[in-house]
Amino acid sequence: MTEFARLELDGRTYELPILVGTEGERAIDISKLRSQTGYITLDDGYVNTGSCQSAITFIDGDEGILRYRGIPIETLAERSSFVETAYLLIFGHLPTSTEREEFAEQLTQSSALHQAMNKHFEAFPTQSHPMAIMSAMINALSTHERPKIDPGDDATLQRYAARLISKSRTIAAASYKSSIGDPIIYPRHDLKYVDNFLHMMFSVPYKEYVATPEVSHALNLFLVLHADHEQNCSTSTVRMVASGEANLYASCSAGVVALWGAKHGGANVAVVQMLQRMRREGLTPHQFLTEVKDRSNDRRLMGFGHRVYRNFDPRAKILRTAAERLLNSMKIQDPLLGMAQELAEEALQDDYFVERKLYPNVDFYSGIILRAIGIPLNMYTVMFAIGRMPGWIANWKELHDNPAQKIYRPRQLYVGNPKSEWVPRHER
Ligand code: CMC
């Protein structure tokens, strides 16, 4: 039986249906509010606004829970590969052996770029940011492939999803190679998804790079942990663009751009820059946190805080252990890991962070892993984008398959000039 919230407005009472999610989350359905009352709701930054109903990812920010299609992230991190996780997110179930093999084969077969695509790379100035190249090249890909997918046509969607997941990894490696002036390395059909990426990143024509199992495992884990995170800035952007009926590639290219900034995917770069600065200037965690707490500047402890998590981000827990394990196995002593651990310990006991419920997020330790693997700093957010691609595709599919889907079009409260006269130029 539907429950209702009652709203008193201008002497009248309105009943707004209460919707309940799978895990007991409650939402007030205001979709008819404006037509019934003339009012809109205002929620700058969408802090309390549910933009859709989704069956892909569940987060309980108070309990530090994250699940993809119902499966806890800790289990997927331990048992599933990135390719299997991608399939799970997009199609809603763990693949059977046949489904997995078919999907993996599609990824392998579509890993190379059209020869003409390679020419685009040459046109970007050296030192171009790989995020700019990546989003531009995914859009360029849509001019070669023209993805056309009818709602509910899962076979076609799967083909294009595999192409996009596979080729965005090739584009990422090629964007790095072209940014440093090295020849682009072709993918190999005998390598799996992660190893193939490492090969394209680090092989040179005169020397083949061979990934160790530890490195390949760590990168696989990184990608699994980044694969989806419900309605964040970039995923909402993908849905927004898709709602206007833009194609899959164009929508995901917009997602790449939305991910770029330091408050979102760019935070993994900012964390390492922050730790490097502390090291360079000899700042103790205490001195650095004093700077952060000084409200006369807008400095933040990067890799801390989250709109949804008000408790530990489960991904940060997993990545912290993974970073320690990887560095041990590679016999690397990275001073930044120790500094990050000390900084986190100090912040977690500091009233400023405790009161605001600020905890390490996914970006706090991920850069340590990427550094150990040898990924250059300006590629960190690109790595995030490769990982997030299945989540964006899953959200694109969910929206595209919904016959009742409307175009995303928020309202606003206008606070500008009232109706004004046009003034001739000589009188201004
Ligand atoms: N360092 C210092 N203070 C902070 C931080 C931080 N990292 N994060 C939030 N605060 C303070 C903020 O100043 C505000 O204080 P007050 O109430 O006194 O004004 C309060 O905490 C609430 O902050 P907010 O900006 O209103 O919170 P939000 O939910 O809008 O922002 C966030 C979430 C992730 C953008 C923010 O915590 C942040 O900027 N963190 C650092 C950047 C970062 O690590 N981003 C990665 C997020 S996880 C991966 C992803 O989504 O891409």
Side-chain angles (χ1 to χ4, degrees), residues 289-305:
L289 293 181
T290 307
E291 258 185 30
V292 168
K293 291 185 288 179
D294 172 4
R295 307 321 299 276
S296 63
N297 65 56
D298 58 2
R299 190 157 280 150
R300 290 193 167 203
L301 174 54
M302 300 311 285
F304 253 67

Side-chain angles (χ1 to χ4, degrees), residues 248-265:
L248 176 68
Y249 293 10
S251 305
C252 291
S253 154
V256 174
V257 183
L259 185 71
W260 194 345
K263 284 193 174 171
H264 192 13

Side-chain angles (χ1 to χ4, degrees), residues 369-389:
I369 293 183
L370 297 178
R371 250 165 85 85
I373 296 175
I375 307 282
L377 191 58
N378 67 352
M379 284 290 289
Y380 286 13
T381 313
V382 170
M383 300 308 298
F384 193 149
I386 296 174
R388 186 53 56 88
M389 200 56 74

Side-chain angles (χ1 to χ4, degrees), residues 72-87:
I73 192 67
E74 293 80 3
T75 312
L76 290 167
E78 205 184 307
R79 307 220 178 126
S80 273
S81 69
F82 176 61
V83 170
E84 182 167 272
T85 304
Y87 189 99

